[in-house]
């Protein structure tokens, strides 16, 4: 292959990675760092004092005129690193929020997926967690793309909620940040709720579409008029590596895949 083509491809790939890193971590982080700086400059006593803020910015600008370019560059780099760390913290917090939202708590967002698990268990007599890795392998690429998109949307919504929590904490030093945090947190919750409902519907639809292809891929060809529960029971010995039983095991906590399917907990996985 022409080295020019390879170089161009790598350069384009690097640009996309840098752009994604910048958008996901640095830009929201810069806004948070700026809000933290305003909080430190105004505090609670002068939270809405625009003149004090303008004087602070003017003083900082005048001081920067006498600062060496190298020092300014180091300060700018430090601020970018702080922004990136803030963004990384928000993403980690978002993952923690995702685990809490999808834990087996009553009234949590995870109930939508638990309802899907229960319906699949009742209708097909099969464990969704055991079925999912095989199902993922036989789904059409465009269906997997739709699932990845909605799962990514759920994760992004949790990150929005994490930023809201961060601004709420910042509100301890500057009360307008608490107002911002409350709005952002509510927006993250609404988005997460909408996207979770979409994800649950897509997962259930994927089971309806892909159950028979899974059976065929495992060498099982149920009659076209076979009862849905019969199809599930025929798959049970292979999925659970045991003799078929009247009832499947109790469904475990759902884990939404963001890439290749995940094996059961306690084993090596090929996905996230």
């Amino acid at each position: 292959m022409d080295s020019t083509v390879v170089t161009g491809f790598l350069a384009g790939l690097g640009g996309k990675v840098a752009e994604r890193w910048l958008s996901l971590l640095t830009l929201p982080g810069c806004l948070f760092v700026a809000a933290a700086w305003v909080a430190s400059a105004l505090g609670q006593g002068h939270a809405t004092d625009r003149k004090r803020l303008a004087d602070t910015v003017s003083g900082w600008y005048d001081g920067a005129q006498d600062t060496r370019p190298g020092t300014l560059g180091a300060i700018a780099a430090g601020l970018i690193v702080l922004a990136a760390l803030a963004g990384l913290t928000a993403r980690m917090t978002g993952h923690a929020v995702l685990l809490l939202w999808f834990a087996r708590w009553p009234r949590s967002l995870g109930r939508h997926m638990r309802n899907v698990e229960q319906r699949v268990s009742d209708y097909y007599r099969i464990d969704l967690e055991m079925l999912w890795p095989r199902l993922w392998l036989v789904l059409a690429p465009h269906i997997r793309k739709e699932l990845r998109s909605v799962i990514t949307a759920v994760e992004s919504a949790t990150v929005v909620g994490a930023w809201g929590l961060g601004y709420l904490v910042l509100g301890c030093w500057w009360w307008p940040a608490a107002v911002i945090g409350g709005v952002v947190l509510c927006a993250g919750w609404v988005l997460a709720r909408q996207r979770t409902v979409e994800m649950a519907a897509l997962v259930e639809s994927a089971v309806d579409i892909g159950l028979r292809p899974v059976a065929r891929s495992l060498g099982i060809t149920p009659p076209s008029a076979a009862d849905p529960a019969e199809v599930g029971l025929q798959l049970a010995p292979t999925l659970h590596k045991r003799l078929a039983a009247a009832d499947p095991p109790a469904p475990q906590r759902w884990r939404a895949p963001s890439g290749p399917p995940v094996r059961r907990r306690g084993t090596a996985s090929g996905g996230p």
Side-chain angles (χ1 to χ4, degrees):
M1 182 180 292
D2 190 351
S3 61
T4 304
V5 176
V6 175
T7 303
F9 172 76
L10 293 177
L13 180 62
K16 291 181 180 180
V17 172
E19 180 181 354
R20 182 171 177 81
W21 179 84
L22 183 67
S23 63
L24 292 180
L25 297 181
T26 310
L27 294 182
C30 285
L31 293 176
F32 187 79
V33 169
W37 181 81
V38 172
S40 65
L42 299 182
Q44 300 288 22
H46 303 275
T48 59
D49 192 340
R50 290 179 292 179
K51 183 178 183 304
R52 183 183 181 93
L53 179 61
D55 292 341
T56 302
V57 172
S58 178
W60 180 86
Y61 179 79
D62 292 339
Q65 301 300 312
D66 300 328
T67 305
R68 295 180 179 179
T71 303
L72 289 177
I75 293 174
L79 291 176
I80 292 175
V81 170
L82 285 176
L85 288 176
L88 183 60
T89 301
R91 292 194 67 80
M92 295 175 63
T93 305
H95 286 299
V97 170
L98 186 65
L99 292 176
L100 291 176
W101 277 350
F102 282 88
R104 292 187 176 274
W105 288 2
R107 302 182 182 277
S108 69
L109 291 178
R111 73 180 184 276
H112 298 291
M113 287 309 309
R114 292 195 295 275
N115 291 339
V116 171
E117 285 181 310
Q118 190 61 53
R119 286 196 295 270
V120 169
S121 177
D122 293 342
Y123 192 69
Y124 292 112
R125 314 301 293 172
I126 203 167
D127 184 354
L128 177 57
E129 187 178 8
M130 292 300 298
L131 172 67
W132 186 257
R134 287 85 172 174
L135 182 64
W136 184 266
L137 293 176
V138 303
L139 289 176
H142 70 278
I143 298 178
R144 284 187 287 185
K145 182 178 179 181
E146 289 292 332
L147 285 166
R148 283 194 183 101
S149 297
V150 72
I151 292 165
T152 301
V154 173
E155 293 174 345
S156 299
T158 62
V159 175
V160 173
W163 282 116
L165 291 175
Y167 280 100
L168 284 177
V169 172
L170 189 59
C172 295
W173 292 271
W174 186 52
W175 67 259
V179 177
I180 297 173
V183 173
V184 173
L185 185 59
C186 290
W189 172 262
V190 171
L191 287 173
R193 183 181 178 84
Q194 293 175 346
R195 299 298 182 259
T196 301
V197 172
E198 294 175 7
M199 182 177 70
L202 281 176
V203 168
E204 188 169 2
S205 300
V207 173
D208 295 336
I209 293 172
L211 186 65
R212 287 181 179 272
V214 168
R216 288 194 295 269
S217 69
L218 296 175
I220 301 171
T221 309
S224 58
D227 184 84
E230 181 182 346
V231 179
L233 290 175
Q234 289 181 5
L235 282 172
T238 300
L239 298 188
H240 302 290
K241 301 298 185 292
R242 60 174 174 78
L243 295 177
D247 295 307
Q252 303 296 317
R253 180 173 62 84
W254 167 256
R255 289 182 176 180
S258 58
V262 183
R263 298 181 184 176
R264 290 187 67 83
R265 294 183 292 275
T267 61
S269 64

